[in-house]
Amino acid sequence: MYRSDVVEAEGVQPGAVVLVQEAGDTGTKRHAGKSARAIPTLSDKNVRPTRPPVTRTLGSAFYSTASEIAVRMISPKPVNDIEQLIRERIRAAIVYRERFVQDTNAYRVIFSEGDFLPGLIVDKYNDILSLQVLTQAWDPDPMRNIFLSELRVALNPRVIVERIDPRVRKLEQLPERESGIVWPGNSPKYSNHEDSFKYSNHDVIPNRFSGEEPGVPGREAGSSSFRSAPLLGMTSGERGATGASPVEGSTPAITTEFQMNSVRFLYDALGGQKTGAFLDQRENYAAAEKYARGEALDVFTYQGGFALHLARSCDKVTGVDSSRPALEAADQNAALNGREIDWIEANAFDLLRDYSDAGRKYDTIVLDPPAFAKSRQNRDTAIRGYKELNLRALKMLRPGGILVTCSCSYHVSASDLLEVLASAALDSHRNLRILENRGQAKDHPNVLGVPETAYLKCLISLVS
Ligand code: SAH
């Protein structure tokens, strides 16, 4: 619920749990049934709703005093015990993964609205948990203690790291904080060597986070936003005060190896060469591998997610990306799997233009670009970008070839992408049969009625 929908939120503290009531009696409301008041819950004893009457209670929510999304619903009922609710939801999220996530030890454990825990994201890479706090509600120490303790008990990680996106903290008016280890505590300051700067996402790896516009949870690889990583503090109540200054001791290794679909990957949560994965593509990798054949080109390969899978079903695989550090990590992953893959550092648009003009041909092409539409405003430009890429790729596919085309722009819908593909097919005089119309992996649950939880599209087509 947007700030403009809230007609009253007197005395509500940043990140508070509020009771949301429909405000039917106000002249300021914009559209019927949309305006609401946020009432501090009774635990906030000194603040009371001031202006009844209200028509209807909509439920409980987290309130943000800063974000455009002022109200994020957490329950259709009043919530009396937020700790119990959070613990139950985390346990439910884990049970869901146990039931539906297979063939991997790397997956998203908590997907914000997708797990009814709006503003919290937790990824698991083998024995490391990597979390992101996206809203005011999750930032205070008591709240951190709740979710950290629940995650530790349920998943028994070796290390928990927090990844900070400074833009998100700024938007939520949260104090500055740096990426680092949040558990175990007593860790010394993480080294701030030069590579952290060189490989920082802001410099070289365009962020795929599509949540520029409020309300879009977005997508992001584990690599982003890491720079140096000083001690963030301990789990207070268990190990003493939070925010303690760095102390001597051994740093838990924040590198590990994980696998998905039996393909091995390196993970370095905070170090110089930050690695990670687009976990949301896990099931699409396996699907693409099934259809792929011959000579393959993986465009926007990042650390080789598709390329490494295609290498098991294709004769020759080339991965393209504009980020050298990403390709270096991709090459290490290839070595880990005993695969020979060619990597090309290039701007994908230039490369596809040159290759298609030169009459190069492939049997399989994967297009998995970053989110071109970061907001509704640049949807049209984004659609032109997708069209250009798909047109070039179609020109380069041999008859019987396979096109895997993806979009992680929330603002470009599944039907938009189909339209783009249809128009590219028309322009290139190719016939396409859609073999699979796919979305994000099931550890990024798509909740019916919460459109923002569906953002990734992946179409696999047979081109003749
Ligand atoms: N397919 C990857 C994810 C791709 S993320 C996987 O499954 O893991 C998008 C990638 O596009 C990033 O690695 C980024 O470096 C790259 N990129 C962004 N703009 C680019 C451009 N113009 N040309 C080539 N690569 C680009």
Side-chain angles (χ1 to χ4, degrees), residues 261 281-291 306 309 312:
N261 311 309
Q281 288 284 28
R282 184 187 332 97
E283 295 170 10
N284 297 333
Y285 294 151
E289 177 184 340
K290 199 167 69 183
Y291 301 104
F306 278 102
H309 283 80
R312 296 195 293 201

Side-chain angles (χ1 to χ4, degrees), residues 397-415:
L397 278 165
R398 297 191 179 105
I402 297 291
L403 176 69
V404 180
T405 191
C406 310
S407 163
C408 59
S409 301
Y410 168 69
H411 298 287
V412 172
S413 69
S415 56

Side-chain angles (χ1 to χ4, degrees), residues 201 204-208 219 221 223 265 276-282 285 298-307 309 320-324 326-327 344-351 366-372 389 406 408:
N201 179 58
V204 289
I205 305 178
N207 204 339
R208 273 178 81 136
R219 175 181 191 210
S223 68
F265 293 85
F278 287 95
L279 301 172
D280 52 4
Q281 288 284 28
R282 184 187 332 97
Y285 294 151
D298 176 16
V299 189
F300 305 96
T301 191
Y302 184 56
Q303 298 178 356
F306 278 102
H309 283 80
V320 179
D321 204 282
S322 58
S323 160
R324 173 168 283 270
L327 292 177
I344 303 177
E345 182 186 346
N347 178 316
F349 287 91
D350 296 344
L351 180 117
V366 177
L367 301 173
D368 183 21
F372 290 152
L389 292 174
C406 310
C408 59

